Amino acid sequence: MLKLENISVSYGSIKALHNISLEVKSGEIVALIGANGAGKSTTLRTISGLEKPANKDSKITFKDVQIQGALPHKIVEMGLSHVPEGRRVFPDMSVYENLLMGAHIRKGKPDQGDFDRVYHHFPRLKERIKQLAGTLSGGEQQMLAMGRALMARPDLLLLDEPSMGLAPMLVEEIFHIIEDINVAGTTILLVEQNAHLALEISNRAYVLETGEIVLEGLARDLAENEDIRKAYLGE
Amino acid sequence: MKKLLDNWLIQFLLFLCVLGLTAFITDAIGNVLPPYLLMIGLFIGINLIMALGLNLITGVTGQLSLGHAAFMSIGAYASAIATVNYHVPFLGGVLIGGLVACLFGIVIGFPTLRLTGDYLAIATLGFAEIVRVQFTNMKITNGAIGFLGIQGSTTFPIVMTIAVITLVLMVWLENSRNGRAMLAIREDEIASSAVGINTTLYKIQAFAIGAFCAGVGGALFAHTTTFIQPTDFGFMKSVDILSIVVLGGLGSIPGTIIGAIVLTAAPEILRPLANYRMMVYGVLLVIIMIFRPYGLLGGVNLRQAVRRAFMLTKKKQAGREE
Amino acid sequence: MSLLTLDNVTIRFGGLTAVDTVNLEVKQGEILALIGPNGAGKSTVFNLITSIYQPTEGKISLDGKALTGIPTHKIADMGITRTFQTIRLFPELSVLDNVKIGAHCRGKAGLFHAFTRLPSMKREEAEMEENAIKALEFLDLAAKREDMAKNLSYGEQRRLEIARALVSKPKILLLDEPAAGMNPQEKVVLMEMIRRIRDTGITIFLVEHDMKLVMGISERIAVLDYGKLIAKGTPLEVRSNKAVIEAYLGSGEFKSRIRR
Amino acid sequence: MPILNNLMQQLVNGLALGGIYALIALGYTMVYGIIGMINFAYGEIFMFGAYAGLVLALTNYVNVYTALLGATLITMILGVVIERVAYKPIRRSSRLSALISAIGVSIFLSSFMVRVKGPNTRGFPTLFENRIFEIGNFQITIYQIVIIGVAGLMMLGLHLFVTYTKMGRAMRACAQDKDAASLMGVNIDRVISVTFAIGSGLAGTAGVLAGIYFNAVQPYMGLLAGLKAFAAAVLGGIGSIPGAMIGGIVIGLTEILGITVNLSEYKDAFAFAILILVLLFKPSGIMGRKANKKV
Amino acid sequence: GCGASKPAETAPSGGESKEPIKIGFLGAKTGDVAIYGLNTLKGLNMAIEELNKEGVLGRKVQLVEEDNAGQKDQAINITNKLISQDKVVAIVGDPTTGITRVAGQIANSKNTVIMSAGSTGTNVVEIGPYVFRDTLLDTIAAPATMKYVIQDKGWKNVALITSKNNDYSVSLSKIFSDAIKSNGGNIVIEEFIQDKDTDFSGQITKIKAANPDVIVFSGYYTEGALIMKKAREVGIKAVMVGGDGLQGDDLMKIGGAAVEGSISYAGFSPEQPTPNTEKFINAFKAKYNNELPDLFAAQGYDALMIIAKAIKDSGSADPVKFKDTLAQTKNYDGVSGSITFQESREPIKSPVYLLEVKDGKFALLKKVPVEVK
Ligand SMILES: Nc1ncnc2c1ncn2[C@@H]1O[C@H](COP(=O)(O)OP(=O)(O)OP(=O)(O)O)[C@@H](O)[C@H]1O
Ligand SMILES: Nc1ncnc2c1ncn2[C@@H]1O[C@H](COP(=O)(O)OP(=O)(O)OP(=O)(O)O)[C@@H](O)[C@H]1O
Ligand SMILES: [Mg+2]
Ligand SMILES: [Mg+2]
């Protein structure tokens, strides 16, 4: 479904990614874990076109089409949704309008079924349908950001730290929802600090350290790996 | 303790030396340079003084002001009235110009500084328009007809010396507790107040000092042209000064210097273009912003460079002492 | 001995009661955690304490002095500093300047000093710089002191916020989700840091969703739900409180529904 | 009661003047609201529209509708071109850079017009006959009715467009967070172009109508118009479309009120004083939402 | 020493030098007041063309034109540039009083002749012996006009309108107001506008209520035309009377039928021209696309021609020398009337033309000869 080859990205003089290659197959949940500043968010931003790869030989293939350098809206139209770090809901729009924005690429009006699907996962959103998104609490905003992405009925969903700032119960809920979304047919690339849960629900995982991929493999195997347990599971 | 005091004395003396040197050199330059170039230099100096003030308000403290010309006009008229009607000596008049403008900066500051961003911008613009209308309708300013008979006392060395004083004080300010508080306000007001910065106080300080600079600049301007009218201080004047600050690089003192030089000289340098001059000037602004979006010296951390340069001179000075 | 007291504090936003008649005491020298579901009103409590919001009803006091109506910038003077849930640094300033600004309320130099650079001012500057560097060393950021704050990674930015709050030598430090965005390893380090800060005599009032951290370092925990305090007590008590489990903690044992 | 009559007449005068300000402010506030930049070249686009209308009107083959339409079209293109050339490259840098770039554009446009059409004020040929209605003891002209009517219609249309259409929603999304909007599949460049096209088109329409109403077209007419539009937009609450209308009318009424109370020489000061006064009590304008940023 | 660095002295005075005589133009070509500068320039170019047919003292005359955009600091720079860099012997401009005062100071201190072809305010020629102007002074023309309006026409109740941010208008209104009173008229209402205003409905509503016999407006033609349009719209029948600021074809172009009957004075009129003036008008029309010259063009033309004449008569292109000859000019037959410099160097122009707008054109109403004392 998605393939990255030799991706390097810099912010001015700071090199954030060095020659990253990774792959996500259709139907998988793939986790990308790593310390602060390792470049996880940058990877996602590059995939969805918000950052441009610095090197010429870089290649990003999504559904067999090369998308490196394409504009974000083109990539999104191809069936990719990205829930960015820090939620990024539209603060001066109501919850309802935010959801409508999620369905922007779809022709015509989104049907009730889409909304119901979101409300099913996030009943809290239904209660706050008219509230301005900017005044929602952090957790509520996270739910909105994910709900918004689901409105596009994506084939591939990029999630950047969906559990950040969520109450423990909600974290579990969110991870269950991620699984549900995946079961319903959406492929997922998941960036997480909560390596524990991330490895629990993923098929495969990559470990990123200062802009380079240092380990990859089946999630199950990584969860057993001594180094990983020490560095990322806090044991 | 004693060493520190020595240090301070040395610094103070050094400062005086620099001033003396400036006066001396500029005086020498004044004797050889043709009047045309000299006057351009003089206007660069005046614009620099005013732009440094605006840089403190907009570049350092982050408060967009579109009414700098108002403070300039207040300084110009106050000094003109002082020197002509009350026979205050020229430099006294310049000081009065600065102080009166400063006073207005404070008075206006209190109510309007609750506003932020573009709301503040339009309020300052409105304030400038009100000031201009007021000057147009006052007896003592002679309204639209203009204020006549001001002595042409401004000279190149005086302007340059005042510019250097302003420059040094601005560098010092920026590297002080007050300056940092102002920078913090620019960066994030809520976080600033959470660490105990009285944002209103420092915004007013910035406005007061910025207005003072504009007032001094205005006073120097009045004593250059010898004749002033309210139309000299219109909206486009505010825009000119703002352009210097932004084009040079917001918050960058060296940038402001470059900006003042480039934008004051540009209309003169472009003279050979004759009828296309102002069109090219407009295009020039666009092009510079496109190629240097953060200003000519924006994004270059010259604050540290200057600090380092200061250290160097200090070291050199120390070296010479030994 | 109560340092900070919330007395029947309530705030309403339009029809929503975000904090509802909360009574809470923070004791001198303790680590108190405030937990609760998202949107329960935890950050709002911090905003009330720091006068960013004014309570609709009720009273907040520090050492018996009422905080109500006192402007935010004076709150820091009085000895309360904080970090923010969404990081609020001074992004375009250096790390060192960020921390120096944090010590603003401990300085005295005014305009006169700025323009004269008298020895007393230089002494204050030197002292401020020394303290700032100490705070940076404490949070393991000394090496980055000349970097621009916005170029730090997320976790570093969180630590910088703590350093900035710490350098003013507050009586009480409010931390709003300090561990958010950190990985487990980093959380362990953070936990240690918070403990060490408390050991210097600073009272810690903490909002956090990471239960390992909360249970690990807090002496007392208060639980907020829909703006109301639903439980107070030691970690052990809270952990086994039914209402808390239902509203907030959940099973604590995540099991994938589809794999393994 | 002659005084009362006079007052009624002045009220009508103020409404008509306010209508013009509102007309200019509508497009201004929209571009402003979406792109978040002070588009100082807006006044010059307005001026360009007036000239375009003038040139078209002078060709004899043209009636008022085609002149309006033509001028609107020309300014639409102008607006889009300006955005592409002068604003797009610096979209990601500070807002003040864009402000200076806009000032550069406005200096260019006005001096360009001086070169091409000369600096003198031009009258407008009569595109449609003015008529005066006497209502009781005061008068209202067709021009005044048209101005107020068009401003009202435009406000309504624009408001509905921005609030309820997909494009309008996309515009607001861009205003709040461009990256997030592009992740929703919004084509940012297109949205901004459309915004500029509509906003500039409105400026063009306003230019022609102001040209007809005041019968004076001049290369530097944009500066004052732009400032008044800016003031009206802010007074009403930046980005609020009904706000721009209200702001424009309040400023128009204030100016006329200044004249009515025998302080004509202070009328501009009055307008700005009212602006500052309102902002002091309502720091985000009459219709502006309080910037309720959660901390 | 005085004038030691004067360029004209380095070149030997007289006809031997082949160097052109340089004349500077100071005025706005861009900005709010560009129209006056650009029209002056048209007259100047006419003069240059004509002078260069024969040359002056056997030398060509060359115009160095600079745009001050209506700003004083630029005007200072330009004046310095023209004098020290281009080494002009005389400067024609600026059409506005304010800038002339500033530039006059510099030119006078650098011993360069400056002649304003438009300024009418006070404190201009008083600056010093090198400062001249060839404009019709309001102090002479305005009272004559008011006398005609109040005594001949019998319009006693006057509405006086001043453009408050226009120095010309403010000065002229003072003169008008004194003249109105001394001729037995009374000002029933005094209103204020600003230059560049376009909406006058508020003022006109009040004026209508005051019911004056005549509207006296001291500003420029653009505002004048717009005021009258509004006045006619609300049914005011009184005509407008004003100063030479109303002179300009645009008055009729903008005002149309509303300005019919408006009366203003001028130091120049294309109506009933002298042969000299007729020649100028025809040449101007030929050169500028059938456009009629306005006051500024005519005065600009005259300014340069008077200077050239002084250079010829004194046999020297050195301003130190020819300025005295210039100051002696008496009854010069200019295209804008006869020009005499008094001892104070203030010009007296004769006649004052009183003009009325008739069928969309300025028609001569009366020539009021002015006594030269
Ligand atoms: N806009 C930017 N400008 C400059 N440097 C940046 C920018 N964004 C990120 N960086 C730098 O790039 C590196 C990678 O950042 P990135 O945000 O991808 O890390 P991350 O793995 O997502 O970390 P975290 O877990 O903290 O979110 C970091 O060193 C960061 O400081
Ligand atoms: N300025 C405001 N205007 C309107 N509602 C607000 C405002 N600030 C907060 N709220 C509401 O108050 C409630 C409490 O918010 P608060 O931010 O305190 O939650 P929290 O407990 O910190 O949640 P989280 O753990 O997700 O950060 C939320 O429902 C939020 O939507
Ligand atoms: Mg990240
Ligand atoms: Mg919170």
Side-chain angles (χ1 to χ4, degrees), chain A residues 120-233:
Chain A
H120 163 74
H121 290 312
F122 308 106
R124 172 71 67 99
L125 292 183
K126 197 170 180 182
E127 292 167 26
R128 300 295 176 95
I129 199 78
K130 287 215 176 92
Q131 190 173 344
L132 290 186
T135 62
L136 293 176
S137 84
E140 292 160 351
Q141 289 188 11
Q142 183 64 52
M143 297 181 209
L144 179 56
M146 287 185 64
R148 192 178 61 175
L150 289 183
M151 292 295 288
R153 293 201 200 142
D155 299 316
L156 174 64
L157 186 60
L158 310 182
L159 295 173
D160 199 344
E161 303 207 27
S163 77
M164 188 200 284
L166 296 193
M169 213 165 75
L170 254 182
V171 174
E172 293 178 13
E173 205 177 317
I174 289 272
F175 275 84
H176 280 307
I177 292 170
I178 294 172
E179 284 195 319
D180 291 348
I181 294 169
N182 179 248
V183 168
T186 306
T187 310
I188 289 171
L189 175 57
L190 172 68
V191 161
E192 254 305 326
Q193 291 287 4
N194 195 333
H196 220 29
L197 296 193
L199 293 177
E200 175 82 21
I201 65 166
S202 339
N203 304 72
R204 292 187 304 113
Y206 292 86
V207 180
L208 205 57
E209 247 171 46
T210 54
E212 285 174 78
I213 292 197
V214 293
L215 253 173
E216 62 173 287
L218 291 180
R220 192 179 318 135
D221 297 343
L222 288 182
E224 304 296 322
N225 181 311
E226 272 308 305
D227 297 337
I228 299 288
R229 295 187 77 87
K230 238 198 190 135
Y232 299 108
L233 301 179

Side-chain angles (χ1 to χ4, degrees), chain A residues 36 165 169-170 179 193 231-232, chain C residues 38-39 181 183-186 248 256:
Chain A
N36 287 127
M169 213 165 75
L170 254 182
E179 284 195 319
Q193 291 287 4
Y232 299 108
Chain C
N38 296 108
N183 67 30
Q185 172 65 28
E186 291 165 320
Y248 183 65
S256 170

Side-chain angles (χ1 to χ4, degrees), chain B residues 4 12 43-44 60 62 77 110 115 143 155 162 189 243 284:
Chain B
L4 276 171
F12 187 68
F43 283 119
I44 289 176
V60 175
Y77 275 109
F110 265 107
L115 306 173
T155 64
I162 295 178
E189 259 193 82
S243 304
L284 203 70

Side-chain angles (χ1 to χ4, degrees), chain E residues 1 16 31 45 54 79 128 132 159 241 247 252 254 263 266 277 314 350:
Chain E
E16 300 95 305
N45 280 321
E54 293 165 13
T79 312
F132 295 84
V241 174
Q247 288 292 315
M252 285 77 78
I254 302 168
I263 297 171
T277 309
S314 65
S350 181

